[in-house]
Amino acid sequence: MGKAVVLVVSAVVLVACVATVGVVTVSNRKAADSSKPQMAELSTSQKNIQQFCRPTDYQQTCETTLSSVAGDKTDPKDLVGLVFNITIDHIKQAFDHSSTIQETAKDPRTSEALENCRELLDYAIGDLRTSVDRLDDFSMEKIDKFIDDLKVWISATITYQETCLDGFEGADTDAAASMSKALNRSAELTSNVLAIVTSFGDTLDKFELGDLNRKLLAVDAESFPSWVSGGKRMLLQKSPAQLKPDVTVAQDGSGDVKTIADALLRVPQNSAKIVVIYIKQGVYKEKLDIGRSYTNLMMVGDGPTKTKITGGLNFIDGVATFKTATVAVVGDGFIAKDLWIENSAGAAKHQAVALRVQSDKSVFYNVRLDGYQDTLYVHTHRQFYRECTITGTIDFIFGDSASIFQNCLILARKPMDNQQNIVTAQGRKDRRSTGGIILHNCTISADPEYYPLRNKLPTFLGRPWKEYSRTFVMQSQLDDLINPKGWLPWLGDFGLNTCFYTEIDNRGPGADKSQRVTWRGVKNVDLGHAQKFTVERFIQGKTWLPQTGVPFTAGLLPPSGSTN
């Protein structure tokens, strides 16, 4: 299909999607004339608002907010932008409310929860503003990528608001209820924005424009497209010396600095090109917060048994889960290679995160992540893990990003005597959210210390942390530690009908599905459906992974022939 045809079809799609919006001007409904019926017929503009809000779950909220501020705006793009800005304003109000409550906070946990809320709501506002800015750069030629990006950022905004409320565990209940009330309207508005954008994307799919754009960017599995230069293509294949790092960290004084924190001070912020920090062999006892302004940062070590970053913050000692991470990464385009990241708190300290990731289009290659409960917090956005080792006990891969783990080793460790292991706890709050944990061609096995106890203290594939929890285990090796039931409830019947859990073409003794739980949310899908949850489709990996040089499989592997 030629470029001109693409533009014509795209224009038709845009008209089809926004024609129902029309001129959104609100009539002044007065009943001054008693001779007229009290309930006058809806004006055309009001009908258009109703049509515009129809895809949403909170239609009354959508209609009320639009009707109150739409004025005489007629341009469809302006109206979409207006919906975003209304949502931003309500999140700002919740942000300000958290500051007001902070003044009367009764205990340290409540004070920390409110402080974390402000940080999280700032992230939410940032992602929505990015979305609004992208509306100004709207291009019909790149509409498929445009919609994919919007859905990822809006989904993250929903997650940030939910994480704010999650942080009140163990805090003052009055403060928690007050913040929940303050976030109620903004949560509904954000859900509505996602519904409107998703509806637009669904219309595009009917025209099959998405497949067209993907074909233009197609590469074969385990290969790189010709438009990626040889130097950049091999970025992750080079040794640290060949990479010519911008900053070298060495505890023995042979580098530029002795700590990773000092290296970050030398890194240019908001960089458009990749900036490399090389961390030489050693044990670095540091807490790293790689903020939003550290974009396109790459950290390379001497290997996942040699360069270790370790910390021990944990929930039992009074730190909120969100802040226990030894390494927290927010800046987009982050790349890590040949590192070992650990939270050493131990099983008795409960929630203790080794790595928390919010970085969009981030890559982790040959990285070891060690912890017990909540080892890896895949918080938001798009993430790719290749040939990594992740260890833990309870919910040790959790969060609501769109994450794919490929060719990774996932090791269950010995839990406490009154515990059982759960590999994943996916946290999708909204049914349209882009979040999901995808394990593809991975191995789930037992750590040697845990192996003799695997029948007494069982391991499950996952449990539904949030209502629309979504986890796929595909074409992976499942060893005999997996309990025959496969999946574990969270609490009662919460999420059992609305989650989306599936196992596809797996192998090994733990892959036998004959005794699996029979919740409505545990589904059998075919390989065709599973293709939607591959690197190419689920995280749009062909458009950005080749630039990093990480090897990846774009789609599914050839079927194994297994009946599991």
Side-chain angles (χ1 to χ4, degrees):
M1 185 182 289
K3 179 177 179 181
V5 177
V6 174
L7 289 173
V8 171
V9 174
S10 300
V12 170
V13 174
L14 181 61
V15 171
C17 289
V18 302
T20 58
V21 179
V23 180
V24 185
T25 54
V26 182
S27 64
N28 185 13
R29 292 185 292 177
K30 293 184 178 179
D33 186 347
S34 60
S35 65
K36 294 182 180 179
Q38 187 73 14
M39 295 297 293
E41 183 179 351
L42 289 175
S43 68
T44 301
S45 59
Q46 290 166 329
K47 289 179 180 177
N48 287 337
I49 287 177
Q50 288 184 344
Q51 186 68 22
F52 181 78
C53 294
R54 183 169 295 174
T56 68
D57 290 341
Y58 305 98
Q59 293 185 27
Q60 186 61 50
T61 298
C62 180
E63 292 170 17
T64 301
T65 51
L66 266 182
S67 297
S68 64
V69 298
D72 59 355
K73 291 186 180 296
T74 60
D75 184 85
K77 190 168 72 172
D78 287 343
L79 294 172
V80 175
L82 184 60
V83 173
F84 275 98
N85 284 317
I86 292 170
T87 307
I88 290 172
D89 287 343
H90 277 79
I91 296 176
K92 283 181 179 177
Q93 292 173 24
F95 180 99
D96 292 339
H97 185 69
S98 68
S99 297
T100 301
I101 304 175
Q102 180 81 61
E103 297 173 1
T104 58
K106 299 176 181 178
D107 60 85
R109 277 208 189 273
T110 301
S111 182
E112 183 187 19
L114 290 164
E115 183 178 339
N116 291 342
C117 274
R118 285 193 291 280
E119 179 180 344
L120 288 156
L121 296 180
D122 185 56
Y123 293 143
I125 292 168
D127 272 14
L128 287 178
R129 280 180 172 159
T130 299
S131 302
V132 172
D133 291 343
R134 284 292 298 275
L135 291 175
D136 293 335
D137 300 326
F138 184 81
S139 168
M140 293 305 300
E141 274 189 283
K142 299 178 180 178
I143 194 167
D144 185 39
K145 182 178 183 299
F146 175 77
I147 294 296
D148 284 337
D149 286 346
L150 283 185
K151 289 193 291 187
V152 167
W153 298 329
I154 299 165
S155 296
T157 299
I158 292 171
T159 302
Y160 291 139
Q161 294 174 76
E162 184 70 7
T163 305
C164 163
L165 298 179
D166 288 340
F168 284 92
E169 181 182 357
D172 178 58
T173 55
D174 290 339
S178 184
M179 274 308 299
S180 179
K181 183 178 179 181
L183 282 168
N184 184 60
R185 181 55 64 94
S186 66
E188 291 182 356
L189 287 167
T190 314
S191 176
N192 286 346
V193 171
L194 181 59
I196 290 166
V197 170
T198 300
S199 178
F200 185 52
D202 290 345
T203 303
L204 291 179
D205 284 343
K206 293 177 183 177
F207 282 84
E208 298 183 349
L209 292 180
D211 288 338
L212 170 68
N213 283 344
R214 292 182 181 105
K215 288 174 183 176
L216 293 174
L217 291 166
V219 295
D220 293 331
E222 306 287 4
S223 65
F224 306 98
S226 59
W227 49 266
V228 177
S229 66
K232 199 167 191 179
R233 185 187 315 168
M234 299 303 293
L235 185 65
L236 280 177
Q237 312 303 321
K238 292 182 178 180
S239 68
Q242 292 172 319
L243 279 171
K244 297 180 180 178
D246 297 278
V247 187
T248 297
V249 184
Q251 292 177 328
D252 62 6
S254 62
D256 301 305
V257 293
K258 292 185 177 182
T259 69
I260 306 167
D262 285 340
L264 288 171
L265 295 176
R266 298 193 177 199
V267 170
Q269 299 192 16
N270 300 309
S271 174
K273 67 174 186 177
I274 292 178
V275 178
V276 179
I277 295 178
Y278 167 41
I279 309 168
K280 286 189 174 182
Q281 179 174 343
V283 177
Y284 297 83
K285 296 180 180 179
E286 301 188 48
K287 176 174 170 54
L288 300 178
D289 290 298
I290 301 168
R292 188 161 43 189
S293 61
Y294 290 100
T295 55
N296 297 307
L297 178 63
M298 180 176 181
M299 286 187 172
V300 181
D302 278 329
T305 62
K306 296 180 179 180
T307 299
K308 183 177 184 180
I309 308 170
T310 184
L313 295 180
N314 62 85
F315 183 81
I316 292 298
D317 288 346
V319 181
T321 303
F322 176 69
K323 285 296 185 180
T324 61
T326 302
V327 177
V329 184
V330 181
D332 291 344
F334 182 81
I335 302 173
K337 177 192 174 187
D338 296 340
L339 293 172
W340 182 1
I341 302 172
E342 173 192 64
N343 191 308
S344 61
K349 294 294 187 177
H350 293 193
Q351 298 97 317
V353 177
L355 173 67
R356 188 187 85 235
V357 184
Q358 296 163 226
S359 172
D360 194 20
K361 300 180 180 178
S362 52
V363 172
F364 298 83
Y365 182 37
N366 194 33
V367 174
R368 183 180 181 99
L369 303 169
D370 276 346
Y372 285 85
Q373 183 171 347
D374 293 358
T375 303
L376 173 58
Y377 194 171
V378 288
H379 196 189
T380 55
H381 299 127
R382 286 163 287 199
Q383 306 175 22
F384 181 64
Y385 297 78
R386 175 79 180 203
E387 296 169 30
C388 294
T389 298
I390 304 109
T391 75
T393 55
I394 298 173
D395 306 333
F396 61 96
I397 302 174
F398 77 110
D400 190 30
S401 68
S403 293
I404 292 186
F405 296 79
Q406 203 167 77
N407 297 19
C408 292
L409 175 60
I410 298 169
L411 291 176
R413 302 178 77 171
K414 179 184 175 183
M416 297 174 68
D417 289 342
N418 62 341
Q419 295 178 336
Q420 49 199 349
N421 291 334
I422 307 101
V423 176
T424 67
Q426 206 283 324
R428 193 167 64 132
K429 174 70 173 178
D430 191 287
R431 62 191 175 93
R432 299 180 182 88
S433 169
T434 58
I437 293 173
I438 313 299
L439 309 181
H440 183 208
N441 197 32
C442 293
T443 296
I444 302 178
S445 193
D447 178 82
E449 186 180 0
Y450 166 62
Y451 183 79
L453 301 170
R454 67 194 186 285
N455 294 321
K456 178 183 176 183
L457 305 173
T459 293
F460 296 85
L461 295 172
R463 59 175 179 163
W465 180 28
K466 302 295 180 181
E467 189 173 4
Y468 294 98
S469 180
R470 180 165 60 184
T471 301
F472 280 38
V473 183
M474 308 194 300
Q475 300 187 316
S476 293
Q477 170 71 29
L478 308 185
D479 287 348
D480 65 358
L481 73 161
I482 302 299
N483 184 275
K485 293 182 178 180
W487 308 89
L488 188 70
W490 183 271
L491 182 64
D493 60 358
F494 174 79
L496 304 190
N497 292 328
T498 50
C499 67
F500 190 173
Y501 290 163
T502 194
E503 302 169 59
I504 306 150
D505 196 30
N506 295 311
R507 56 194 181 273
D512 181 0
K513 296 195 293 183
S514 62
Q515 299 181 56
R516 289 297 194 252
V517 293
T518 57
W519 315 332
R520 188 192 303 173
V522 175
K523 303 179 185 299
N524 291 314
V525 303
D526 58 25
L527 292 173
H529 187 101
Q531 287 285 1
K532 297 179 182 179
F533 297 89
T534 59
V535 164
E536 178 183 7
R537 299 287 296 278
F538 191 58
I539 59 172
Q540 302 83 50
K542 281 187 177 181
T543 66
W544 57 278
L545 282 177
Q547 301 171 54
T548 70
V550 66
F552 67 92
T553 303
L556 294 175
L557 300 169
S560 67
S562 170
T563 58
N564 292 321

